[in-house]
Amino acid sequence: MVNVDEARDELEKILSKREYTIYHDQSNNIFATWWEKAKKWIAEQLERLFPSLEATNTAAEWLIAIIIAVVVILLAVTIFFIVRNRNRKRLFREKTPLHSTKELDWSYHMHLSEAKKQEHSEKHTLATRHLFLALLLYFHDKEWLEARIWKTNWEYYEELKKVNRQWADQFYHLASFFDEATYGEREVEIEEYIQFRTEVMKWLGESDEVV
């Protein structure tokens, strides 16, 4: 207990020293000066923009607060998208869409049927998975890429890019959603699934005409 009292007394002595109080006061003065200048500048701008409106310090304070809030929100949104894109790229380069030889041995028709089955059970995440595997194996049948258990979507993207760059970009978009749904621990909503299914079925139903 004595040591605690001594430490508290020593801390009080340090805080009461002139050097500390001067530094503390200077910091407060700098912030106060900056704040007053900012309010004055904004008040002047408001008077220029709205001559009939009497700009006050209160209005300037509110405007500064709004600007700070907007900047914070924009930063938060930017950070969110940066982190999400990094996670997507990491999944794209590290995870393999095919998990077993059984999935590879299935035809794309079988995966398509399984997707419809899962869709009817309202298991849209699983349905998304089988739709994507159906697309992947369809590309394999077309010899646009070579499906293997150990390959990642990034490798499939690179293979498809050699065939057609536009197709590869479309595949990248679908594969990114697949990775996020499969490995991102998120449930696919019905609206997202319908959009994904529509894009996949365009490939499965119209690719013969494209080629």
Side-chain angles (χ1 to χ4, degrees), residues 102-182:
K102 178 182 177 181
E103 290 181 335
L104 181 59
D105 291 340
W106 276 21
S107 67
Y108 81 87
H109 290 290
M110 294 171 69
H111 280 291
L112 196 58
S113 297
E114 184 65 21
K116 292 178 181 178
K117 176 182 175 182
Q118 298 298 336
E119 178 185 341
H120 292 154
S121 300
E122 297 185 353
K123 296 179 180 178
H124 300 116
T125 302
L126 279 175
T128 297
R129 174 173 178 75
H130 284 284
L131 267 179
F132 181 79
L133 295 182
L135 180 66
L136 185 64
L137 293 176
Y138 181 83
F139 288 171
H140 175 80
D141 290 348
K142 289 289 184 179
E143 297 183 352
W144 296 342
L145 52 76
E146 189 174 3
R148 291 290 183 267
I149 293 177
W150 47 267
K151 284 186 178 180
T152 65
N153 280 331
W154 177 259
E155 290 171 293
Y156 293 133
Y157 166 73
E158 289 293 330
E159 289 182 45
L160 193 56
K161 193 163 60 173
K162 295 176 183 178
V163 178
N164 187 299
R165 180 58 185 264
Q166 184 178 356
W167 296 354
D169 291 340
Q170 293 172 358
F171 172 81
Y172 185 95
H173 170 70
L174 294 172
S176 295
F177 181 79
F178 164 81
D179 283 339
E180 189 175 347
T182 304

Side-chain angles (χ1 to χ4, degrees), residues 43-210:
E44 290 174 353
Q45 302 309 311
L46 288 175
E47 288 179 356
R48 290 180 182 178
L49 292 173
F50 309 102
S52 60
L53 180 66
E54 182 180 353
T56 63
N57 283 342
T58 302
E61 287 178 356
W62 274 104
L63 189 56
I64 291 175
I66 292 172
I67 292 173
I68 292 174
V70 170
V71 170
V72 170
I73 292 172
L74 289 176
L75 283 174
V77 171
T78 301
I79 291 172
F80 168 77
F81 281 108
I82 289 174
V83 171
R84 190 178 72 168
N85 287 337
R86 284 184 178 178
N87 288 337
R88 280 182 173 180
K89 289 181 179 179
R90 179 180 58 81
L91 291 174
F92 202 74
R93 292 175 180 271
E94 295 178 1
K95 299 294 184 179
T96 58
L98 291 165
H99 292 167
S100 66
T101 54
K102 178 182 177 181
E103 290 181 335
L104 181 59
D105 291 340
W106 276 21
S107 67
Y108 81 87
H109 290 290
M110 294 171 69
H111 280 291
L112 196 58
S113 297
E114 184 65 21
K116 292 178 181 178
K117 176 182 175 182
Q118 298 298 336
E119 178 185 341
H120 292 154
S121 300
E122 297 185 353
K123 296 179 180 178
H124 300 116
T125 302
L126 279 175
T128 297
R129 174 173 178 75
H130 284 284
L131 267 179
F132 181 79
L133 295 182
L135 180 66
L136 185 64
L137 293 176
Y138 181 83
F139 288 171
H140 175 80
D141 290 348
K142 289 289 184 179
E143 297 183 352
W144 296 342
L145 52 76
E146 189 174 3
R148 291 290 183 267
I149 293 177
W150 47 267
K151 284 186 178 180
T152 65
N153 280 331
W154 177 259
E155 290 171 293
Y156 293 133
Y157 166 73
E158 289 293 330
E159 289 182 45
L160 193 56
K161 193 163 60 173
K162 295 176 183 178
V163 178
N164 187 299
R165 180 58 185 264
Q166 184 178 356
W167 296 354
D169 291 340
Q170 293 172 358
F171 172 81
Y172 185 95
H173 170 70
L174 294 172
S176 295
F177 181 79
F178 164 81
D179 283 339
E180 189 175 347
T182 304
Y183 309 110
E185 297 182 355
R186 56 165 288 190
E187 288 295 324
V188 176
E189 300 295 334
I190 179 64
E191 296 82 6
E192 296 174 309
Y193 173 74
I194 291 174
Q195 182 179 355
F196 183 83
R197 182 189 63 190
T198 300
E199 294 184 33
V200 170
M201 293 309 296
K202 283 181 180 179
W203 279 100
L204 299 182
E206 300 176 8
S207 289
D208 287 335
E209 298 177 7
V210 174

